């Protein structure tokens, strides 16, 4: 509810870049778009889960994880680094330089697409042996190679649209992607079951690319002439993206190791259940953080050398993230026993306990993610990579220990524990290196919202009683009320709400 109020109110409002309103605006816009995508995608997930079951979902998860890993390992971070370069040229209003740099982005995107496809084909036997303990899946990975190439093209074109502030086009693309995924996946899964997993992945990548280039080519038409030597001009963009992409490789590699371990130590059902819990908490719960790369990173880069401005920018981002994500997390925790069967099937109910404890990782991520961008903003790419490497190693170790000790529930404990250790490492590094500190408002929000989440989790042990549903609903309302009250004090959200609805009431009269 809070997302969509912000999304519709702020779509056309201008706010100062250093204001709470600006942070709320872009968090609401990008989070709202993600929320719309998730709502539309719920139908697809429900149908696919019913058709494939936990085993089929686990198999699809393994293939998707492998494709994402190869894509991130070979795309040179263009989808991240190109945004900043295009945005700078767009703000300067230099149309000729924009057109030329778009050629640079597209040339590098094509090169990384070919590289990604080649790596996927060559690494097929290794991925088959490493990911699966049964059967030969080399041909599957070879057939997935076009998906890697298509994703590279899509990433470059998406970066162009982001840099050119084409937010409406990006929103339309994402929504249509969900509809097309539904139209493509359901018939194929219905008739061919697990045999359709690889074709669906490739067709979804193709539809995403076609939708994206339809908008980007209309904005900046494809020009084949004058491309000689453009690869050399893109080296600055590539260097900027290397640290970010290497961190992505480490993260994807860690997730691939986790899923492979669960497949070997458990079975595909366990992988499917883990993936469902991960999707609910980390993916859906993390939609509030979708504004970080597009809006927050350029802002923190601009003030990273000024300690006070840097601290204020980071702390404002943390405050808004916590205020928006906390009510959603409490609601997710309380209503998890209802949400799981609605989104998937009753076969996925064993994941409830794992997902509920994993929800706490999103509280921690709201604190750590804005701080973690400081190392990239200051150009400390080596420190960023070292911290990410330590965090990913700890995630795998915690997962192995957690699953051995407590089974599927232990994977949720491991997720939260790894995020806590990550936050501690990042905070102390940035405190010692840059003098960053949490502000008093951040600590106050933590002291108010986190206990509400803890109480909601403790109440979940009696999920079948009327008292639980009543107390859980009251806790959701309390968390939402506190967030709205604080946002009302810090922004003009409340006045805009009153203005919007009073004007409608007057017009109707």
């Amino acid at each position: 509810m809070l997302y969509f109020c912000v999304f519709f109110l702020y779509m056309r409002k201008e706010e100062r870049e250093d204001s709470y309103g600006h942070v709320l605006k872009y968090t609401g816009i990008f989070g709202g778009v993600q929320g719309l995508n998730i709502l539309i995608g719920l139908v697809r997930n429900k149908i696919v889960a019913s058709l494939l079951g936990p085993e089929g979902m686990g198999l699809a998860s393994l293939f998707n994880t492998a494709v994402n890993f190869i894509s991130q390992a070979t795309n040179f971070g263009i989808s991240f680094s190109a945004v900043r370069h295009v945005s700078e040229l767009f703000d300067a209003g230099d149309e000729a330089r924009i057109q030329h740099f778009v050629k640079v982005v597209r040339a590098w995107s094509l090169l990384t697409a070919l590289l990604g496809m080649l790596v996927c084909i060559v690494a097929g036997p290794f991925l088959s042996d490493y990911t699966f303990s049964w059967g030969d899946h080399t041909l599957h990975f070879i057939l997935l190679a076009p998906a890697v190439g298509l994703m590279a093209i899509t990433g470059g074109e998406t970066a162009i649209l982001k840099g050119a502030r084409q937010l409406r086009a990006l929103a339309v693309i994402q929504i249509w992607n969900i509809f097309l995924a539904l139209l493509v996946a359901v018939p194929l899964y219905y008739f061919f079951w697990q045999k359709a997993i690889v074709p669906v992945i490739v067709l979804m990548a193709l539809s995403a690319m076609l939708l994206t280039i339809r908008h980007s080519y209309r904005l900046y038409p494809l020009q084949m002439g004058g491309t000689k030597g453009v690869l050399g001009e893109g080296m600055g963009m590539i260097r900027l993206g290397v640290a970010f992409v290497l961190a992505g490789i480490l993260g994807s590699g860690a997730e691939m190791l986790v899923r492979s371990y669960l497949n070997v130590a458990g079975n595909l059902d366990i992988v499917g259940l883990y993936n469902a819990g991960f999707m609910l908490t980390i993916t859906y719960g993390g939609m509030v953080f979708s504004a970080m790369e597009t809006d927050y990173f350029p802002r923190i880069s601009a003030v990273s050398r000024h300690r006070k401005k840097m601290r204020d920018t980071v702390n404002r981002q943390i405050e808004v993230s916590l205020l928006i994500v906390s009510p959603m997390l409490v609601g997710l925790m309380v209503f998890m026993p209802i949400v799981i069967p609605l989104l998937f099937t009753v076969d996925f109910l064993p994941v409830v306990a794992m997902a509920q404890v994993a929800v706490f990782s999103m509280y921690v991520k709201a604190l750590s993610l804005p701080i973690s961008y400081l190392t990239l903003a200051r150009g400390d790419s080596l420190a960023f990579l070292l911290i990410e490497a330590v965090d990913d190693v700890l995630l795998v170790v915690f997962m192995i220990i957690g699953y051995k000790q407590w089974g599927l529930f232990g994977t949720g404990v491991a997720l939260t524990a790894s995020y806590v250790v990550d936050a501690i490492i990042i905070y102390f590094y940035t405190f010692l290196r840059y003098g960053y500190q949490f502000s008093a408002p951040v600590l106050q929000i933590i002291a108010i919202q986190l206990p509400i989440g803890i109480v909601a989790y403790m109440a979940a042990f009696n999920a079948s009683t009327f008292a639980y549903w009543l107390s859980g609903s009251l806790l959701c309302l309390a968390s939402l009320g506190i967030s709205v009250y604080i946002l009302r004090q810090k922004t003009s959200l409340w006045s805009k709400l009153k203005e919007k609805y009073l004007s409608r009431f007057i017009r109707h009269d």
Side-chain angles (χ1 to χ4, degrees):
M1 179 65 72
L2 191 55
Y3 264 130
F4 296 113
C5 287
V6 174
F7 177 71
F8 289 113
L9 285 172
Y10 280 111
M11 274 299 290
R12 297 183 180 274
K13 301 292 183 181
E14 296 295 330
E15 301 285 345
R16 292 186 303 113
E17 286 202 353
D18 61 343
S19 69
Y20 284 98
H22 178 90
V23 181
L24 182 62
K25 170 186 175 180
Y26 282 96
T27 303
I29 288 176
F30 292 106
V33 169
Q34 292 299 317
L36 289 172
N37 286 340
I38 287 170
L39 289 175
I40 297 170
L42 293 181
V43 177
R44 179 173 62 90
N45 288 335
K46 174 72 175 181
I47 297 173
V48 171
S50 300
L51 293 174
L52 296 183
E55 180 181 346
M57 292 284 281
L59 186 61
S61 171
L62 289 171
F63 283 139
N64 275 306
T65 304
V67 167
N68 289 330
F69 174 72
I70 296 173
S71 176
Q72 291 186 5
T74 57
N75 66 15
F76 292 171
I78 292 174
S79 60
F80 167 76
S81 59
V83 173
R84 183 176 180 180
H85 289 270
V86 175
S87 179
E88 290 173 352
L89 295 174
F90 184 81
D91 287 341
D94 193 335
E95 188 64 27
R97 290 182 63 193
I98 294 175
Q99 294 281 359
H100 183 73
F101 191 75
V102 166
K103 292 182 184 178
V104 176
V105 175
R106 287 173 174 165
W108 274 102
S109 296
L110 179 60
L111 179 64
T112 57
L114 296 173
L115 176 63
M117 292 175 63
L118 178 62
V119 170
C120 191
I121 293 171
V122 172
F126 171 77
L127 291 170
S128 177
D129 294 339
Y130 191 79
T131 307
F132 295 92
S133 59
W134 49 273
D136 184 3
H137 296 270
T138 302
L139 179 60
H140 292 148
F141 286 107
I142 293 174
L143 294 175
L144 285 169
V148 177
L150 294 168
M151 289 168 67
I153 301 296
T154 303
E157 299 299 327
T158 300
I160 294 169
L161 292 174
K162 285 182 179 179
R165 311 293 199 276
Q166 299 296 306
L167 301 183
R168 180 176 295 181
L170 290 167
V172 170
I173 290 169
Q174 292 179 32
I175 293 171
W176 271 107
N177 274 334
I178 298 295
F179 277 121
L180 288 176
L182 180 67
L183 293 175
V184 170
V186 172
L188 289 176
Y189 285 144
Y190 179 80
F191 288 107
F192 302 104
W193 199 45
Q194 294 185 12
K195 293 180 181 178
I197 291 176
V198 171
V200 165
I201 293 173
V202 175
L203 288 173
M204 288 172 63
L206 176 62
S207 66
M209 187 202 72
L210 293 175
L211 283 169
T212 306
I213 64 174
R214 176 178 178 270
H215 289 274
S216 62
Y217 283 10
R218 183 183 300 170
L219 183 66
Y220 298 112
L222 181 65
Q223 298 178 6
M224 302 303 295
T227 57
K228 185 178 181 179
V230 295
L231 291 178
E233 298 178 34
M235 291 308 298
M237 172 184 67
I238 297 302
R239 285 192 294 270
L240 178 64
V242 164
F244 194 81
V245 75
L246 287 178
I249 292 172
L250 292 173
S252 297
E255 280 300 326
M256 193 172 176
L257 281 173
V258 167
R259 284 169 169 80
S260 297
Y261 169 76
L262 294 177
N263 182 38
V264 175
N267 51 49
L268 277 177
D269 285 356
I270 294 296
V271 179
L273 291 170
Y274 170 80
N275 190 63
F278 188 91
M279 184 186 300
L280 275 174
T281 54
I282 309 301
T283 304
Y284 290 175
M287 66 182 182
V288 71
F289 310 119
S290 59
M292 294 288 184
E293 181 182 320
T294 306
D295 172 61
Y296 171 69
F297 180 65
R299 285 191 295 112
I300 193 59
S301 298
V303 299
S304 62
R305 302 291 175 180
H306 305 278
R307 284 203 171 190
K308 185 180 184 304
K309 291 182 179 179
M310 174 267 291
R311 287 196 297 265
D312 290 344
T313 301
V314 176
N315 284 322
R316 286 191 183 115
Q317 189 72 43
I318 292 174
E319 287 177 54
V320 173
S321 297
L322 278 172
L323 290 171
I324 292 181
V325 80
S326 294
M328 180 178 64
L329 295 179
V330 173
L332 189 60
M333 198 180 305
V334 169
F335 296 103
M336 191 73 72
I338 297 176
V339 171
I340 291 290
L342 285 176
L343 301 187
F344 302 98
T345 66
V346 292
D347 295 332
F348 288 81
L349 280 175
V351 82
V352 169
M354 171 265 180
Q356 284 175 325
V357 72
V359 163
F360 286 104
S361 64
M362 290 296 93
Y363 283 101
V364 183
K365 188 173 182 178
L367 294 172
S368 64
L369 190 59
I371 306 173
S372 68
Y373 274 83
L374 275 176
T375 52
L376 278 177
R378 290 292 292 265
D380 293 341
S381 56
L382 181 59
F384 179 79
L385 286 174
L386 288 175
I387 292 173
E388 288 296 311
V390 171
D391 294 338
D392 291 329
V393 170
L394 288 174
L395 172 64
V396 175
V397 172
F398 286 169
M399 278 290 177
I400 294 173
I401 296 173
Y403 184 74
K404 283 185 176 179
Q405 293 295 321
W406 304 294
L408 188 62
F409 171 76
T411 63
V413 175
L415 276 173
T416 298
S418 65
Y419 274 81
V420 170
V421 175
D422 174 40
I424 293 172
I425 293 173
I426 290 171
Y427 180 79
F428 279 104
Y429 178 82
T430 54
F431 172 74
L432 295 173
R433 179 81 171 175
Y434 315 125
Y436 170 74
Q437 290 178 291
F438 287 133
S439 65
V442 167
L443 296 175
Q444 290 170 358
I445 293 171
I446 296 172
I448 295 172
Q449 291 285 10
L450 185 57
I452 295 177
I454 293 172
V455 173
Y457 177 74
M458 294 174 64
F461 291 105
N462 299 304
S464 60
T465 66
F466 173 77
Y468 164 75
W469 296 112
L470 178 61
S471 61
S473 300
L474 292 175
L475 288 168
C476 292
L477 291 174
S479 180
L480 178 62
I482 290 168
S483 289
V484 171
Y485 176 79
I486 296 175
L487 287 172
R488 175 186 174 185
Q489 302 300 313
K490 294 181 179 293
T491 70
S492 56
L493 174 63
W494 187 253
S495 62
K496 286 184 171 64
L497 280 170
K498 290 194 296 184
E499 177 185 343
K500 183 180 181 68
Y501 287 103
L502 281 176
S503 62
R504 284 186 176 182
F505 180 76
I506 292 171
R507 282 202 303 270
H508 284 307
D509 287 350

